[in-house]
Amino acid sequence: MAGTVAEKPVGTSTLRDDAQPAPAESGALAHSRIAIIASALLPVMLLAGILYFLVRRGTGLNLAPPAPIERVEFERVELYPGEIRAHVINTGPEPVTIAQVQVGWLNRASWEFTVTPNATIPRLGRAIVRIPYPWVAGEPYEVVLLTANTLVFTHEIAIAAETPVAGGSTLASLALLGVYVGVIPVFLGIGWLPFLRALPQRWYYFFLNLTVGLLVFLGVDALHEALESAARVPGPYQGVALILIGLSLSILLLYAISGRVKDREGSGGSGLLLAYTIALSIGVHNLGEGLAIGGAYALGEIATGTLLVLGFTLHNLTEGVAVVAPVVRARFRWGHLLWLGLIAGLPTIAGTMAGALAYSALWSVLFLAVGAGAIIQVVIEITRHQIRESGAASLANAFNVAGFAAGLAVMYVTGLFVTV
């Protein structure tokens, strides 16, 4: 009939036909997926085949070096009564055999030694060289390792000092050192909160910017220490690359955590959250600082005297001010102050113990870089917090600039008392 349109019967089979691809389309889709997977696996399989061929047959190159390429690096040297213990790692391309050991300063002499687990060290393998030697505290020494190919690797001990041994009194002393240089100063700084609360609004922003100055100084100082320690990291572990990894990942991780907390609370970020972020970043920084202090103490490079404790107390006092500055205008339970102080200060104890008993330049670099990254993230957050609270388009006024400059000056002056 003209003008009528034949309607398609409505039924379940029609709906299923609309939702599912036709058999021809389904076959094409499966074929496409197989092609994608094959294109991803093909280079990997070719690479595996080439590697197998090179390992089995060699490269075919005839470019032998004129001399053996060997590299042995000292990770740590420990001094115990009547014994020098050198922890070494083979960072060269080939296995290395330790054939001779010499000890001395101006006049060196060959000495008996044992190597654990084996005198032949594979690439990236570690070994402990034990030398029974009557060293004298306070004197300099050189430990020289000669390989089977007569290559020489030297480590200088500037001042001989007995390595701390894990024991009740040693752990107690190291914990007390961590309390003095990390925990007490932070809580003393937190104690300034009532004073900060009594200040007018513009002085509140002055101290917020003073906090930014303190943190910028701490961040730069942490990066400087990380770069110094990176020079002591064995080459294959790439100390500078570790700094980049620790720095970038800590910034991104803190942004992810704080963003998740803000989304859950449904706010733009409270002062208390910012205070906890600052405490965490300072805590990570203090862990790295504790490693450096403990390591320097184990090497006999610092004296844990009154001057050092006084210097760190003054220097780290400012960290407590930085922690509480964002909550000066906030309402919160006072119990949070206890947690803030512990988060910022306690890692110093762990760092001091680990640094003195098992110092590792690699871990020191990583924690210092993580601390620096966390501090950078906190500086950005404090700046955003100020802009949000004040509603100002620019923070560049006399009080803010003076606060920032005062923060830098305080850290520089108090740093004069710290000689690590």
Side-chain angles (χ1 to χ4, degrees):
M1 182 182 293
T4 60
V5 177
E7 294 184 359
K8 200 172 186 178
V10 178
T12 53
S13 60
T14 304
L15 293 174
R16 188 164 54 246
D17 289 344
D18 292 340
Q20 295 180 353
E25 293 177 351
S26 178
L29 185 60
H31 183 267
S32 175
R33 286 176 179 169
I34 292 172
I36 292 172
I37 294 173
S39 65
L41 291 179
L42 182 62
V44 177
M45 295 171 67
L46 289 174
L47 176 63
I50 291 172
L51 290 177
Y52 176 78
F53 180 80
L54 291 177
V55 171
R56 296 284 296 180
R57 302 292 181 88
T59 61
L61 298 174
N62 188 20
L63 299 173
I69 301 175
E70 295 180 334
R71 190 174 297 121
V72 175
E73 296 190 41
F74 290 79
E75 288 191 299
R76 190 169 73 253
V77 173
E78 300 168 340
L79 300 178
Y80 299 105
E83 182 182 274
I84 297 175
R85 199 176 294 176
H87 295 252
V88 298
I89 178 172
N90 172 15
T91 58
E94 301 290 340
V96 171
T97 300
I98 305 297
Q100 190 178 353
V101 170
Q102 295 180 349
V103 183
W105 183 240
L106 295 177
N107 296 310
R108 295 196 301 261
S110 296
W111 218 261
E112 295 180 355
F113 69 98
T114 57
V115 183
T116 307
N118 199 301
T120 299
I121 311 170
R123 171 173 161 72
L124 295 182
R126 288 179 165 82
I128 302 174
V129 183
R130 288 182 168 85
I131 311 161
Y133 187 86
W135 59 272
V136 177
E139 293 193 355
Y141 293 97
E142 268 189 344
V143 178
V144 180
L145 304 182
L146 288 87
T147 69
N149 292 311
T150 65
L151 293 182
V152 177
F153 300 93
T154 306
H155 177 81
E156 180 180 314
I157 302 171
I159 303 170
E162 186 174 348
T163 302
V165 180
S169 60
T170 302
L171 290 176
S173 296
L174 292 172
L176 192 58
L177 178 60
V179 169
Y180 277 136
V181 304
V183 179
I184 291 178
V186 169
F187 275 104
L188 287 177
I190 289 175
W192 264 329
L193 180 60
F195 166 73
L196 296 174
R197 285 194 154 176
L199 295 174
Q201 183 77 5
R202 60 181 180 176
W203 281 102
Y204 163 65
Y205 288 116
F206 172 88
F207 277 98
L208 266 185
N209 284 283
L210 182 141
T211 299
V212 172
L214 300 177
L215 292 173
V216 167
F217 193 100
L218 270 182
V220 173
D221 185 53
L223 278 179
H224 176 245
E225 290 181 26
L227 286 170
E228 279 190 339
S229 298
R232 295 194 289 272
V233 174
Y237 294 107
Q238 308 165 68
V240 176
L242 281 177
I243 295 175
L244 175 63
I245 292 171
L247 191 75
S248 56
L249 289 187
S250 61
I251 293 175
L252 295 175
L253 184 62
L254 273 180
Y255 265 117
I257 293 173
S258 60
R260 189 176 180 85
V261 173
K262 287 175 186 175
D263 291 342
R264 194 175 61 185
E265 292 183 349
S267 67
S270 65
L272 188 60
L273 173 62
L274 186 56
Y276 270 106
T277 310
I278 293 175
L280 179 63
S281 64
I282 289 178
V284 177
H285 167 268
N286 283 344
L287 179 62
E289 192 174 67
L291 284 171
I293 294 171
Y297 169 68
L299 295 174
E301 294 178 355
I302 63 169
T304 55
T306 306
L307 184 61
L308 177 83
V309 172
L310 179 63
F312 268 107
T313 302
L314 290 173
H315 195 61
N316 292 348
L317 191 68
T318 53
E319 295 177 353
V321 177
V323 168
V324 295
V327 294
V328 168
R329 293 288 182 266
R331 293 179 179 275
F332 59 91
R333 291 196 306 273
W334 289 97
H336 284 293
L337 294 180
L338 174 64
W339 287 110
L340 289 170
L342 292 177
I343 291 172
L346 277 184
T348 316
I349 299 175
T352 306
M353 289 182 175
L357 300 176
Y359 177 77
S360 165
L362 188 147
W363 288 110
S364 181
V365 167
L366 191 58
F367 280 114
L368 285 168
V370 168
I375 287 171
I376 291 171
Q377 191 269 348
V378 165
V379 168
I380 296 171
E381 283 296 308
I382 293 178
T383 306
R384 293 173 62 186
H385 177 76
Q386 286 188 79
I387 293 174
R388 197 164 48 239
E389 273 201 352
S390 65
S394 171
L395 299 175
N397 59 54
F399 260 77
N400 292 347
V401 172
F404 181 78
L408 295 179
V410 166
M411 292 301 287
Y412 179 79
V413 172
T414 56
L416 297 176
F417 295 92
V418 181
T419 54
V420 175

